[in-house]
Amino acid sequence: MSREIKIPYGISNFVKIRTEGYVYVDKTHFIPDLEKLHTVIHLRPRRFGKSLFVSMLESYYDVNADHQFDDLFKGLAIYKQLTADKNNYYILRFNFSGIATKDADAVLDGFKTKVKDGIQGFIDHYHFDIELDLTTPAHMLVSLFRAVEQLKLKHAIYIFIDEYDHFTNAVLTHDGLEGFMDLVRRGGTVRAFYEVIKEKMESGLIGRFFATGVMSVSLDSMTSGFNIAKNITTRDDFSDMMGFRADEVKQLLKEVELTDIEQTEIYEILKLNYNGYQFSKHNEVKVFNSTLIMYYLEYYLPRKRPPESLVDPNLNQKGATIRNLVNLKNSSAHYEVVEEIVKHGQTIGMLSDFIDIDERYDKNDFITLMFNIGLLTIKEVKMKPVFKIPNKIIEFVFLDYLRDMLEKKQGYTIDVRNQEKALFELGEDGKIDEITQQVSDFLQHLSVRDHIGFDEKYIKVIYKTMLSLNEQYFIYDEFPARQGFSDLILLKTPMSYAQYEYMIELKHLKKDETTESKIEHALNEGIAQIHDYMQDKRLQGRPDLKRFVVVFSGFKVVRVAAV
């Protein structure tokens, strides 16, 4: 490379990025439209660049940052369309990430500390001489605002709250509903804090308010205490304000000086694993998880190879994320929704405008929280929107959860050693005997309930679940090929050491209706389908693609044939 490429993975300080030569994807063109709104809530899943966006807004509006404006913003979109409020506010920022949630006392202590830190940072930054009442977070704010009013400042305050719901979401998912409600219901510490902000916004002392977070449930639960913020999470014009569009990713790959071949290959990897999020019903633009893009590039550029895992360890999204949402209320009904999503690739529902989890938690609420957290995204809009899993990384999260739940429900533990044996056989020997036997063994432990509606789709789910913890293969079901859809395709990941890839066509016969002639008919039908699929040019260019037909009678494998 002709120059050092600095990737800001894990860096959310706008000043550092702009003054120390890191690459930056410009989001400043959203400022003029944002400025038309005075109180804003914008929700996005974790690792979507929320903190960096807030940091950028701070630098743009801070009265103390005027002297370095050119250094920070020259060359960016906003530099050519400056707004009237540039460098026109005193910035009061709170960041509620990182608060310990082991018990209610820890949460309250952490919240109080974060509020104190934010206020003290404000006092120090503007060199004010203010004495605070440290009794509660609300008292701290009251004492701060009273002192500021006496100073008769020329400018209003702009409040930024980063990860406004971080600790309440942790309490919600770890400690259950009651601990969460204690924080946000009337008289609770958090609600009292926001009531003070609401009062001072109405008085004009606070001129603007911008908050980021993940889930709407925290905001909804204290609406009557803070009902003046505009939630723009699903608005068309702000759908790609955080996260990267396809054209932004392609431009980034050029900027970091990758070859044309590298750009093409890496873009497809990023698209498959980190893209697919659609946040508005009426704007079909898909966005990538921006932090995961930086995670991949930060590893790839100096080594010219992908990271060992496409999942950023800091993302920490596993099956437990889904389990916590399922178990809040009505767990059996919500488990069936997860099964539906994994089996059929989608579910139908509505995004709830308001979630009062203390009173109700139905399918639409469950879908809304999974949408907020990035586990589901909009697939298409009909009378009721259709939601799907956005990408392969999130599919692994669902399979991790489903694997755990199936083991618990069936009282059957999947032997990791056998899985490793099956994976080695797939990669090195070009055989599917071990993994197919594992699927058959598991199916034979299914309860009577799970026999109802059993079909090829359920078999595919079990295959995918058995293979969910490997990083050698991407697993596709209903892979479009020619005029049909192949049941299962296993293609090597960028970090795979496997030699072989796979196409598996599944056939299922009812046990009491199985005859040798029906087995032969199903087998021949599968072979003909595979021959047709292989006319697809994308598959013809894979010389190590092994092809099999597997016929099940009931839950038992009765024929495996290489094609």
Side-chain angles (χ1 to χ4, degrees):
M1 293 184 185
S2 59
R3 62 185 178 93
E4 180 187 7
I5 306 295
K6 300 178 74 172
I7 301 296
Y9 168 63
I11 299 175
S12 56
N13 186 313
F14 178 73
V15 174
K16 180 179 179 69
I17 289 173
R18 293 294 291 167
T19 59
E20 296 184 15
Y22 289 89
V23 296
Y24 175 70
V25 176
D26 188 2
K27 293 292 183 177
T28 62
H29 55 284
F30 286 101
I31 290 176
D33 285 335
L34 270 180
E35 202 164 287
K36 297 172 185 176
L37 307 170
H38 284 80
T39 56
V40 173
I41 294 278
H42 190 65
L43 306 177
R44 282 295 179 264
R46 292 187 64 226
R47 317 294 282 176
F48 256 79
K50 297 187 293 293
S51 296
L52 176 56
F53 191 86
V54 168
S55 179
M56 180 270 290
L57 291 179
E58 284 185 71
S59 294
Y60 184 79
Y61 287 105
D62 186 2
V63 296
N64 276 11
D66 186 54
H67 67 285
Q68 62 177 158
F69 188 86
D70 283 359
D71 292 337
L72 299 180
F73 290 96
K74 192 171 185 178
L76 300 182
I78 193 62
Y79 199 78
K80 297 180 181 179
Q81 50 178 336
L82 300 179
T83 65
D85 278 349
K86 177 185 84 71
N87 300 122
N88 201 40
Y89 289 91
Y90 294 99
I91 305 301
L92 174 57
R93 178 179 182 176
F94 300 101
N95 186 337
F96 291 134
S97 63
I99 293 178
T101 59
K102 62 180 180 180
D103 54 48
D105 288 340
V107 171
L108 291 175
D109 287 344
F111 181 63
K112 184 175 181 180
T113 298
K114 290 286 187 175
V115 171
K116 180 182 177 182
D117 289 346
I119 293 175
Q120 193 60 54
F122 174 84
I123 292 171
D124 293 344
H125 183 61
Y126 297 108
H127 306 292
F128 294 145
D129 183 13
I130 295 174
E131 186 174 341
L132 299 176
D133 178 349
L134 301 178
T135 308
T136 68
H139 282 87
M140 292 184 209
L141 276 183
V142 169
S143 59
L144 171 69
F145 294 149
R146 184 180 296 122
V148 168
E149 285 172 332
Q150 293 174 355
L151 292 173
K152 299 187 184 303
L153 301 175
K154 295 180 180 179
H155 304 277
I157 294 173
Y158 197 145
I159 289 185
F160 290 98
I161 300 185
D162 195 9
E163 302 290 351
Y164 92 97
D165 60 339
H166 176 85
F167 60 94
T168 53
N169 288 339
V171 172
L172 179 64
T173 54
H174 292 140
D175 295 343
L177 186 58
E178 192 57 32
F180 166 77
M181 293 309 303
D182 284 342
L183 288 171
V184 297
R185 61 165 53 107
R186 184 176 297 279
T189 301
V190 175
R191 186 158 171 167
F193 170 82
Y194 282 100
E195 286 172 344
V196 174
I197 294 176
K198 175 184 175 181
E199 177 186 346
K200 293 305 177 182
M201 291 192 70
E202 292 171 343
S203 75
L205 179 67
I206 301 171
R208 292 186 179 277
F209 175 92
F210 185 95
T212 74
V214 175
M215 290 198 283
S216 61
V217 63
S218 299
L219 178 69
D220 294 337
S221 298
M222 57 187 182
T223 292
S224 61
F226 190 72
N227 58 359
I228 57 175
K230 181 71 173 178
N231 189 341
I232 63 170
T233 297
T234 58
R235 272 186 48 163
D236 305 353
D237 44 347
F238 297 110
S239 62
D240 59 320
M241 189 167 73
M242 297 173 192
F244 297 157
R245 299 188 314 269
D247 60 309
E248 291 172 331
V249 173
K250 291 177 180 178
Q251 180 58 39
L252 175 63
L253 297 181
K254 290 181 181 179
E255 187 175 340
V256 298
E257 300 180 359
L258 295 171
T259 66
D260 290 346
I261 293 176
E262 285 178 312
Q263 290 177 42
T264 300
E265 292 178 348
I266 290 176
Y267 177 79
E268 290 304 317
I269 294 169
L270 301 180
K271 179 181 178 181
L272 180 65
N273 291 281
Y274 306 146
N275 191 25
Y277 298 94
Q278 180 178 328
F279 293 112
S280 171
K281 291 188 293 184
H282 305 295
N283 185 341
E284 296 182 358
V285 64
K286 304 292 192 297
V287 295
F288 293 70
N289 182 308
S290 51
T291 300
L292 291 180
I293 297 287
M294 297 304 182
Y295 160 76
Y296 188 97
L297 293 178
E298 194 263 349
Y299 189 94
Y300 181 89
L301 290 177
R303 301 171 181 84
K304 291 298 180 179
R305 66 174 187 272
E308 291 298 317
S309 172
L310 289 171
V311 182
D312 178 0
N314 293 317
L315 183 62
N316 196 31
Q317 259 191 339
K318 297 181 180 178
T321 306
I322 299 176
R323 184 180 65 243
N324 290 332
L325 296 181
V326 168
N327 290 341
L328 281 176
K329 277 185 177 181
N330 308 322
S331 58
S332 60
H334 298 320
Y335 173 74
E336 291 179 0
V337 175
V338 174
E339 277 192 317
E340 176 191 6
I341 292 167
V342 175
K343 185 176 179 180
H344 299 289
Q346 63 184 43
T347 189
I348 296 173
M350 300 289 289
L351 292 178
S352 297
D353 294 326
F354 181 89
I355 300 177
D356 187 352
I357 205 166
D358 199 22
E359 297 293 331
R360 174 204 84 206
Y361 187 46
D362 59 20
K363 179 182 179 181
N364 289 335
D365 298 332
F366 181 55
I367 287 173
T368 301
L369 294 189
M370 288 201 292
F371 173 82
N372 287 159
I373 212 167
L375 296 171
L376 289 179
T377 195
I378 297 169
K379 179 182 180 182
E380 56 183 319
V381 179
K382 299 181 177 180
M383 289 188 68
K384 280 192 173 182
V386 181
F387 296 88
K388 67 172 184 176
I389 299 170
N391 51 52
K392 284 296 175 185
I393 294 300
I394 300 302
E395 183 180 39
F396 285 142
V397 177
F398 274 89
L399 291 173
D400 183 40
Y401 166 75
L402 191 63
R403 171 195 176 100
D404 181 58
M405 291 305 298
L406 286 172
E407 286 185 335
K408 290 178 179 177
K409 285 179 64 180
Q410 309 305 329
Y412 180 92
T413 301
I414 300 172
D415 193 322
V416 175
R417 292 171 299 178
N418 288 340
Q419 280 199 299
E420 292 174 349
K421 179 181 177 183
L423 193 61
F424 184 85
E425 184 182 78
L426 285 166
E428 297 291 330
D429 300 333
K431 299 178 180 179
I432 65 168
D433 298 351
E434 182 65 31
I435 188 62
T436 298
Q437 188 59 51
Q438 288 185 36
V439 170
S440 180
D441 290 345
F442 186 85
L443 289 173
Q444 291 179 61
H445 284 81
L446 285 172
S447 66
V448 174
R449 170 195 172 280
D450 289 313
H451 292 197
I452 301 172
F454 179 82
D455 55 16
E456 291 168 16
K457 287 184 178 294
Y458 212 115
I459 298 174
K460 285 190 286 187
V461 168
I462 303 305
Y463 266 103
K464 291 170 66 176
T465 302
M466 291 291 186
L467 291 166
S468 63
L469 297 182
N470 90 87
E471 293 184 341
Q472 300 297 314
Y473 291 105
F474 290 133
I475 310 159
Y476 300 87
D477 61 345
E478 299 297 317
F479 185 89
R482 295 277 285 176
Q483 302 302 312
F485 296 89
S486 175
D487 284 334
L488 282 174
I489 294 278
L490 276 62
L491 301 181
K492 289 183 283 188
T493 66
M495 68 287 294
S496 177
Y497 295 100
Q499 178 177 345
Y500 299 103
E501 298 180 315
Y502 293 88
M503 174 186 290
I504 303 174
E505 196 65 22
L506 301 171
K507 297 296 174 184
H508 177 253
L509 304 171
K510 293 183 179 180
K511 183 178 179 181
D512 56 358
E513 298 178 4
T514 300
T515 63
E516 188 62 31
S517 63
K518 286 187 176 181
I519 293 174
E520 286 299 316
H521 179 269
L523 186 66
N524 290 331
E525 183 180 57
I527 291 172
Q529 287 174 305
I530 286 180
H531 283 312
D532 184 52
Y533 298 151
M534 287 306 298
Q535 301 305 308
D536 192 301
K537 292 182 179 180
R538 294 171 299 168
L539 299 176
Q540 290 177 348
R542 294 181 176 274
D544 295 319
L545 181 68
K546 294 285 186 178
R547 303 174 294 279
F548 292 90
V549 178
V550 182
V551 182
F552 283 80
S553 172
F555 300 140
K556 186 178 180 180
V557 177
V558 292
R559 195 67 56 87
V560 178
V563 179

